[in-house]
Amino acid sequence: MEQKDTIKGRSKHRTLFGRLLTLVSLVCIGGGIYLLILLSAPQMQKVIPPKNWTTPVPTERAALTEDRLYIPKLKINITYKAGDKHVLNDNAWWRSPERGNPKDGGNFILAAHRFELGLTPGETRYKSPFYNLDELMMGDKLYADYNGVRYEYKVVNRYKVAPNDTKIEQVTNEDHMTLYSCTKRGSADGREVVIAEQTAANIDPAKQL
C-alpha cells in the first residue's frame, strides 16, 4: 500500500513539474516574441508615428508657440529643447544654443536617441526619434519652428564619426543645422551625422510640408 502511495506521489509531482515547466516555457516564448516586437517597433515610425508626434503641424503664425523639428520624409514632428541630457526623454536635445540657431545662423545642433527600449511598441517608437536618420538623402527637406518663425533646410551632407568626435559641434563659417545620433550598433560604434543648410526663412505656416 505504501509503495502504491509513493508511486502516486511521484506521479503527481512529475505532473505538477511538467505543468510548471510548460508554463515557464510559454512565458519565455511569449516574452521573446514581445521583445522582438519592441525591437522592431521603431522601423514602423514612418507608417505609425507615435501619438506624441501626431500633433498637427501649425498652419497659422499665431499657433507657432513651440520650437519644433519637422522631418516630413521620416514623419518626425517633435519639440527640441536646450538643457541637459534629460531633455532627450521627450524631445530632441538642442546642444550648445550659443553656437547657433535658425535666426542668427551658426551651428544649430540637434541630437536625439537612435534607439531606446520602452514598455510598449508605441513608447519604443516615441523614445527612438532618430531611428531612421540614415534614410535621409541629399536634398531632403527639414523644417524648424523657432521663436514663432518657420525655417526650411535642405540636407547637403551625411557621414559617420567616432564616438568622441567633437568637431561636429564646432562653429564654422557656414550656417547650418547638424543632426546626429549614435549608429544602430550603439554609441560605441560612432555617430551618424546629417548636415542641412538653411534654404528659406519666415516660411508661411500654411505651406504644406
Side-chain angles (χ1 to χ4, degrees):
M1 193 70 171
E2 286 185 16
Q3 188 175 5
K4 287 184 179 180
D5 290 340
T6 300
I7 293 174
K8 286 182 179 179
R10 288 177 181 174
S11 177
K12 185 177 182 180
H13 179 72
R14 290 195 191 100
T15 301
L16 289 174
F17 180 76
R19 290 176 179 174
L20 180 61
L21 185 61
T22 299
L23 179 62
V24 170
S25 299
L26 290 174
V27 170
C28 289
I29 292 171
I33 292 173
Y34 191 67
L35 181 59
L36 288 175
I37 292 173
L38 292 179
L39 292 174
S40 61
Q43 298 177 22
M44 296 295 292
Q45 283 178 175
K46 293 186 294 180
V47 180
I48 313 173
K51 290 183 179 179
N52 311 67
W53 297 3
T54 54
T55 300
V57 178
T59 56
E60 297 180 3
R61 296 188 189 281
L64 301 182
T65 57
E66 290 185 300
D67 292 340
R68 301 188 74 90
L69 170 69
Y70 308 104
I71 307 181
K73 182 177 181 178
L74 305 184
K75 297 291 192 296
I76 289 178
N77 171 2
I78 58 173
T79 53
Y80 62 88
K81 293 183 179 180
D84 58 26
K85 63 182 181 180
H86 294 96
V87 304
L88 287 169
N89 294 332
D90 298 291
N91 319 269
W93 183 9
W94 182 11
R95 302 271 296 170
S96 306
E98 71 279 2
R99 296 185 181 181
N101 63 61
K103 178 182 177 181
D104 302 317
N107 190 4
F108 176 40
I109 311 161
L110 298 178
H113 284 310
R114 192 61 176 271
F115 178 81
E116 284 289 308
L117 199 62
L119 295 177
T120 65
E123 186 178 349
T124 300
R125 292 197 305 273
Y126 173 68
K127 288 176 171 287
S128 312
F130 279 5
Y131 185 83
N132 295 310
L133 190 66
D134 56 334
E135 294 187 18
L136 286 176
M137 299 296 181
M138 308 304 149
D140 285 338
K141 297 292 182 66
L142 319 175
Y143 299 86
D145 288 349
Y146 173 68
N147 281 355
V149 177
R150 182 162 296 164
Y151 298 82
E152 182 183 80
Y153 290 81
K154 177 180 68 175
V155 175
V156 295
N157 201 2
R158 271 185 47 199
Y159 53 89
K160 177 181 170 181
V161 298
N164 57 352
D165 192 329
T166 59
K167 293 180 181 178
I168 57 177
E169 294 197 0
Q170 294 178 358
V171 178
T172 65
N173 293 329
E174 298 181 1
D175 299 333
H176 61 280
M177 175 195 289
T178 299
L179 303 179
Y180 74 80
S181 186
C182 61
T183 72
K184 288 180 179 176
R185 293 184 178 182
S187 56
D189 183 57
R191 295 171 175 171
E192 298 269 5
V193 182
V194 172
I195 304 296
E197 65 178 15
Q198 191 178 118
T199 54
N202 204 22
I203 295 291
D204 184 352
K207 174 185 175 181
Q208 185 174 2
L209 302 187

